[in-house]
Amino acid sequence: MTLSASFGRPVQFACGVARRIGQGMAACIVGLAMLSGAVPAGTAASHNDTARVLAGLAPSAGSPLESLSQQAAWQSHAKYFDRAWTDLEQRQLGKIRAWSMRYVEERRPVVFYMFSGPDFLYADTFFEGADTYVLSGLEPVGPVPDLAGLTPRQLGQELRGLQGSLNSVLSFSFFITKKMKTQLSAGRLTGTLPLLYTFLARSGKTVKNTTLVSLRPDGTVTALQGPIENGHSAGVRITFSKTSAVAGARDQTLYYFNTDLSNRGLKSSGFLTFCKGLGEGDGLVKSASYLLHSDNFTDIRTFLLEHTTTLVQDDSGVPLRFFDAGTWRLKPFGRYLKPLGIFPRAYQRDMQDLYAKGPTEPLDFGIGYRWRPKESNLMLAVRRPALRADAAP
């Protein structure tokens, strides 16, 4: 093995010691990696430690990733996320939890968050404690994050890329799709999984297992073996639990599917069949580009109206005119303003009338495209009990 002269005598000493204790070349490589700050390639780290390092949180003692937390790039990253999360918690997340505890009176074990991308953060904040979360979007899943073998320089580049991918959701509560396509395909940490891991860790979850999956046209989900087959949708299943001092926290499941939610896309995928198999759930829609206003997305709109018990959405969700007064109890929050200029056909006259008539409840946090608190709107739609699928005869 040829070693760079720039490592000097410390490397020679590490290799010499390794030979003397009989560990030979392998220990020499480990010694070199420790001195260089890199984790040896092929070193297995737990999913949870990987998630914590990405989120700027220290891994467990003795973790193969522990050396990364000594790097200046990671320490800078940790400080960035500490500041960002403290601000986000005070400005928004804590207020959303309080709103949810007050107004979301019944909760289903399943949450459907359509057009979400990798935004587990808001699914968990609005509907904390669900057994199963189903997220979907056009963003690719990507490989399971692997930090082994990253040099300090590479680590810094990857962590800065992660910060860039999360910047808009931390600042405005939504991802900018066009930027995401570029950001999620660059570098070593690609796809949505690094973002999902970050949100899970920062939300106080323990990541237990991650399985890349294939969603078949018949709605069944199987572990992905090799390349994705034609007609199948790539996805991931993450098992996690709430971090707690009390042992035995129950397992929860997060699914994310890379799938097209248009009528044409759903026609050739098993996504709706899979979702229907989970039974009725709660729904969340925000910053969804007003796609549910389009005739190209009637199937997913019908699914939400027929298979959710509680639906929380901003005005980019299901248009007001589709909520039958005899089926749904509606409660508006905040202030309804005309949509941003890039969505010229999304204005709802009946929504404007609803807010003008009142009464509406105030909203002390920002959400959606109108992300400033005094400009945001939110609608709580609750299906009347007699019309639920599980209602007693």
Side-chain angles (χ1 to χ4, degrees):
M1 179 175 65
T2 302
L3 301 176
S4 170
S6 63
F7 289 106
R9 293 181 59 83
V11 171
Q12 297 173 11
F13 175 77
C15 294
V17 171
R19 284 191 294 271
R20 285 197 296 272
I21 65 176
Q23 294 177 339
M25 189 66 72
C28 181
I29 293 172
V30 171
L32 175 58
M34 291 176 64
L35 289 169
S36 69
V39 177
T43 303
S46 72
H47 296 290
N48 194 57
D49 281 337
T50 300
R52 289 184 64 82
V53 168
L54 290 173
L57 299 169
S60 59
S63 167
L65 302 181
E66 196 170 15
S67 62
L68 294 183
S69 65
Q70 307 304 314
Q71 299 300 312
W74 183 87
Q75 292 174 357
S76 175
H77 178 71
K79 290 179 181 178
Y80 167 85
F81 268 125
D82 284 344
R83 290 192 302 268
W85 240 264
T86 297
D87 175 67
L88 188 62
E89 180 67 33
Q90 294 174 350
R91 169 170 47 87
Q92 193 175 46
L93 299 184
K95 296 176 181 179
I96 292 176
R97 287 192 205 96
W99 179 92
S100 179
M101 288 292 292
R102 180 177 178 182
Y103 294 107
V104 183
E105 298 176 354
E106 297 184 42
R107 295 171 187 267
R108 294 283 171 165
V110 179
V111 174
F112 302 110
Y113 185 7
M114 305 304 183
F115 310 101
S116 63
D119 182 20
F120 170 76
L121 179 63
Y122 285 93
D124 178 66
T125 307
F126 275 104
F127 294 100
E128 187 176 11
D131 291 340
T132 304
Y133 296 87
V134 180
L135 276 59
S136 56
L138 295 177
E139 296 82 1
V141 178
V144 176
D146 181 9
L147 303 179
L150 291 179
T151 66
R153 180 178 179 181
Q154 290 171 330
L155 177 66
Q157 291 174 337
E158 297 299 331
L159 294 179
R160 286 191 295 274
L162 181 62
Q163 292 174 19
S165 297
L166 292 172
N167 181 62
S168 66
V169 78
L170 296 180
S171 300
F172 310 122
S173 83
F174 58 87
F175 288 107
I176 299 175
T177 304
K178 289 183 179 180
K179 290 185 178 181
M180 288 279 288
K181 288 182 179 180
T182 300
Q183 293 164 339
L184 296 184
S185 60
R188 282 271 301 270
L189 300 176
T190 60
T192 59
L193 270 170
L195 282 66
L196 290 170
Y197 270 21
T198 300
F199 286 146
L200 284 159
R202 279 287 171 173
S203 298
K205 316 301 182 189
T206 297
V207 179
K208 293 188 171 183
N209 191 40
T210 299
T211 305
L212 297 178
V213 299
S214 173
L215 176 61
R216 297 175 180 272
D218 65 0
T220 58
V221 171
T222 58
L224 184 62
Q225 304 291 340
I228 193 77
E229 296 181 37
N230 289 336
H232 294 208
S233 297
V236 64
R237 178 176 58 231
I238 301 175
T239 305
F240 67 95
S241 65
K242 185 174 182 179
T243 301
S244 173
V246 179
R250 82 182 199 284
D251 285 352
Q252 299 167 267
T253 304
L254 164 63
Y255 288 97
Y256 172 80
F257 294 108
N258 172 209
T259 189
D260 179 1
L261 297 183
S262 70
N263 293 347
R264 182 177 180 179
L266 291 174
K267 190 174 183 179
S268 59
S269 82
F271 181 70
L272 284 188
T273 304
F274 169 80
C275 290
K276 290 175 182 177
L278 297 174
E280 283 198 348
D282 294 324
L284 175 63
V285 183
K286 70 172 184 63
S287 308
S289 299
Y290 298 90
L291 295 175
L292 288 168
H293 293 219
S294 167
D295 291 340
N296 295 326
F297 290 84
T298 57
D299 291 343
I300 195 66
R301 186 172 68 209
T302 299
F303 171 83
L304 289 171
L305 290 170
E306 293 183 351
H307 292 85
T308 58
T309 298
T310 297
L311 180 58
V312 175
Q313 62 171 37
D314 63 14
D315 66 304
S316 74
V318 177
L320 183 62
R321 66 183 182 275
F322 292 103
F323 288 96
D324 178 75
T327 305
W328 295 91
R329 187 172 69 250
L330 304 179
K331 194 174 186 65
F333 294 84
R335 182 184 180 194
Y336 179 69
L337 299 176
K338 289 184 177 181
L340 299 178
I342 58 174
F343 304 110
R345 299 176 182 173
Y347 175 69
Q348 300 178 68
R349 172 64 67 181
D350 52 356
M351 181 78 82
Q352 183 67 59
D353 293 341
L354 176 67
Y355 272 79
K357 290 177 184 176
T360 61
E361 296 285 345
L363 204 60
D364 63 351
F365 56 87
I367 199 75
Y369 295 128
R370 293 282 190 179
W371 52 270
R372 293 181 175 84
K374 293 184 179 180
E375 298 182 3
S376 295
N377 68 79
L378 204 61
M379 179 71 72
L380 175 65
V382 180
R383 183 185 295 275
R384 299 186 186 279
L387 297 168
R388 296 177 187 174
D390 62 350

